[in-house]
Amino acid sequence: MLENGKIGVRQFTILVFLFTIGGIILIIPSILASEAKQDAWISAILALGIGVLVIPLYRALGSRFPDMSLVEYSEGILGKWLGKTISLLFCSYFFVNAALTLRSIGEFMTTQIMPETPIQAIFIIFLGIVIMGTRIGLEPLSRAAEIFFPCVIFLFLLLALSLLPQIKIENIQPMLEEGIKPLFRAVIPYIGSTFLELVVFLMFVPYNNRIQNIGKALWIGTLMGGIMLTIISLLTILVIGADMTESQVYPSYVLAKKINVGNFLTRIEVMMAIIWFLTIFFKLTVFLYATALSLAQTLKLKAYRFLTLPLGMILVVFTLVLNPNLIYIKTFNKDILIYYSLTYGLFFPLLLLGVAVIRKKRESGSEKEI
C-alpha cells in the first residue's frame, strides 16, 4: 500500500463530519434562501434526508472491496483501460473540487478579512499548510481532526447560544408561502456541493482498522454535519431574516457579527471564522490527498508524497483559471455543480457496483456449471 497508516472508526467519523461542513458552512444559508426564502431551514432538512441515501451505495462498494481504494477496484471491475480512464476521471474530480475549495478560501479572505492582499498570496500560504498535512499521511491527519473536533463543537455551541437573544420567530413566517417547489430547487445545489462529494472517502476505506463499521461512520459523520448546517441555516433566517440572508455572500459570517450579550460579548465573528478555517483545511487536505493517492495508484507509482508539491503548484494556477471571479463561482455552484457531482458521486459508483454484482453472479454460475 502507498499509505501504511490506519485510522479508527471515530477518527473516520470526525473526518467525514469536518469534511461535510467544510467550506459550505459560510454560504449554505444564502444558497438555500435564494430559492426557499424563509423556508431555507426546511430545505436543509430535506437535503439531509435525500443526501444520506447515497451512503448505502458507498457502504456497499466499500464492504465489497475492503482492501482496495476506489481507483484500485475501478480497474479490477471495468478492465485495465476503461478502469484506468474512470480512475483518472475520479482523480480529476478530486482535483477540481480542491480548486473550488481553494478559491472559496481566497475569496473569503480577500473580501472579508484581508482585502488588500493578493489572492495568489492567500492561495500559496494556505496551500503550503495543506501540502504539509497531505505529506504527513492519513493517520496523523486523522489524529489532528480528533484534536480539533471538540474545538469546533464548543465554538458552534457558544455561537448558537449567544444568538438566542437575537432570534425573531416572525422571520420564518409564513411557512411554505410559495409552496414546496422552491424547497426542492434549493435542495439541488446543496446536495451537489456536500453529500455527493462524500465519494472521496471511498479512497480511504482500506486504511480503516474496522472495515465493517465504515457505513456507521459515514452515517454518523454525515448526519452530524447535516444537522449543524441545518441549525446554522435556521439561525441565520431567525436572526437576520430571509432577504438579508439571500443578499449576503457569507451570511453565516454576518450572523456572527450580530452577537450581543449584555453589550459586553459583541462582534465575535472570529468564532465562525475559526470553525470555517478548521473545517475547510480538512476538506481541502482530503481532496488533495485523494488526488495524489489516486494518481499514484492509477499510474502504479511507489509513492504519492512526491506528487503533492507539483500538484499544489498546478492547483494555484488551475484555481485562478477555473474560477475567474465570484459571479462565475456562484453560477457554477448553482447550475453546473449538481450534474458534475451526480456523475462522479452517483452514476460512476452505481456503474461500478452494478458491474461488480453482475460479474460475481456470472462467476458463481460458471462455478456451479463446472
Side-chain angles (χ1 to χ4, degrees):
M1 285 188 179
L2 296 177
E3 170 62 62
N4 297 319
K6 288 287 185 178
I7 63 175
V9 175
R10 181 174 63 182
Q11 293 170 331
F12 191 78
T13 303
I14 292 172
L15 266 183
V16 172
F17 164 73
L18 296 176
F19 179 90
T20 302
I21 64 175
I24 200 170
I25 192 170
L26 286 183
I27 62 174
I28 188 59
S30 176
I31 293 174
L32 296 174
S34 64
E35 294 287 351
K37 309 303 180 185
Q38 67 269 21
D39 296 322
W41 62 280
I42 302 177
S43 290
I45 297 173
L46 286 174
L48 178 59
I50 298 171
V52 295
L53 296 179
V54 299
I55 293 178
L57 171 62
Y58 299 159
R59 180 183 178 277
L61 277 171
S63 59
R64 186 173 287 271
F65 304 99
D67 301 322
M68 302 171 72
S69 70
L70 175 62
V71 299
E72 287 176 322
Y73 56 71
S74 294
E75 186 173 342
I77 293 172
L78 300 176
K80 182 178 180 180
W81 297 111
L82 182 57
K84 281 188 179 296
T85 301
I86 296 297
S87 297
L88 290 173
L89 286 174
F90 271 116
C91 180
S92 70
Y93 174 69
F94 302 147
F95 191 70
V96 169
N97 275 287
L100 292 170
T101 305
L102 183 61
R103 183 68 192 206
S104 66
I105 295 169
E107 288 292 341
F108 175 74
M109 292 294 294
T110 54
T111 58
Q112 302 296 320
I113 299 177
M114 305 170 68
E116 297 182 3
T117 303
I119 196 169
Q120 295 89 340
I122 303 295
F123 289 166
I124 293 170
I125 293 171
F126 200 90
L127 200 56
I129 302 171
V130 170
I131 290 173
M132 290 173 59
T134 305
R135 291 177 67 88
I136 63 175
L138 185 61
E139 189 172 345
L141 181 67
S142 301
R143 289 177 180 175
E146 200 171 13
I147 292 172
F148 286 118
F149 172 71
C151 177
V152 171
I153 296 299
F154 171 75
L155 290 176
F156 172 74
L157 291 176
L158 182 60
L159 176 73
L161 292 174
S162 300
L163 286 167
L164 291 180
Q166 309 290 332
I167 287 177
K168 299 176 182 177
I169 298 297
E170 59 269 21
N171 283 345
I172 62 171
Q173 298 172 343
M175 294 177 60
L176 300 177
E177 182 181 17
E178 299 183 13
I180 62 172
K181 288 185 178 180
L183 301 183
F184 287 98
R185 288 200 302 267
V187 161
I188 294 173
Y190 182 17
I191 292 176
S193 59
T194 305
F195 302 106
L196 292 174
E197 292 179 351
L198 293 173
V199 69
V200 70
F201 284 97
L202 292 179
M203 290 296 303
F204 308 131
V205 169
Y207 311 118
N208 283 265
N209 54 21
R210 293 184 182 179
I211 303 296
Q212 65 275 15
N213 291 327
I214 287 295
K216 180 180 178 182
L218 281 171
W219 274 105
I220 296 175
T222 305
L223 286 172
M224 287 175 60
I227 290 171
M228 180 178 286
L229 293 173
T230 301
I231 294 173
I232 284 290
S233 300
L234 178 59
L235 284 173
T236 307
I237 299 296
L238 286 170
V239 174
I240 67 176
D243 292 337
M244 190 171 180
T245 299
E246 181 183 357
S247 63
Q248 294 291 327
V249 179
Y250 305 107
S252 299
Y253 190 67
V254 175
L255 173 69
K257 293 181 179 181
K258 296 292 183 180
I259 293 176
N260 186 345
V261 180
N263 291 322
F264 173 73
L265 191 64
T266 62
R267 295 296 299 270
I268 51 174
E269 59 268 18
V270 66
M271 292 192 302
M272 179 57 71
I274 292 173
I275 293 173
W276 181 79
F277 278 124
L278 289 175
T279 56
I280 204 168
F281 162 76
F282 285 102
K283 183 168 188 174
L284 180 54
T285 304
V286 165
F287 274 133
L288 185 61
Y289 188 100
T291 302
L293 187 62
S294 60
L295 184 60
Q297 290 177 341
T298 303
L299 300 179
K300 307 298 182 185
L301 303 178
K302 294 182 179 180
Y304 76 89
R305 286 179 173 84
F306 74 93
L307 294 173
T308 55
L309 183 58
L311 285 172
M313 296 171 63
I314 296 171
L315 186 60
V316 172
V317 179
F318 184 71
T319 301
L320 294 170
V321 174
L322 180 66
N323 310 296
N325 53 62
L326 187 59
I327 301 300
Y328 182 89
I329 296 171
K330 293 183 70 174
T331 304
F332 179 86
N333 290 338
K334 183 178 180 181
D335 301 328
I336 301 173
L337 183 61
I338 181 61
Y339 302 105
Y340 188 57
S341 296
L342 278 172
T343 302
Y344 292 93
L346 183 62
F347 175 72
F348 281 158
L350 279 174
L351 174 66
L352 292 172
L353 183 61
V355 174
V357 170
I358 293 171
R359 290 187 63 175
K360 185 175 182 179
K361 287 184 177 180
R362 286 183 177 178
E363 290 173 2
S364 300
S366 300
E367 291 176 359
K368 290 180 180 180
E369 290 178 3
I370 295 172

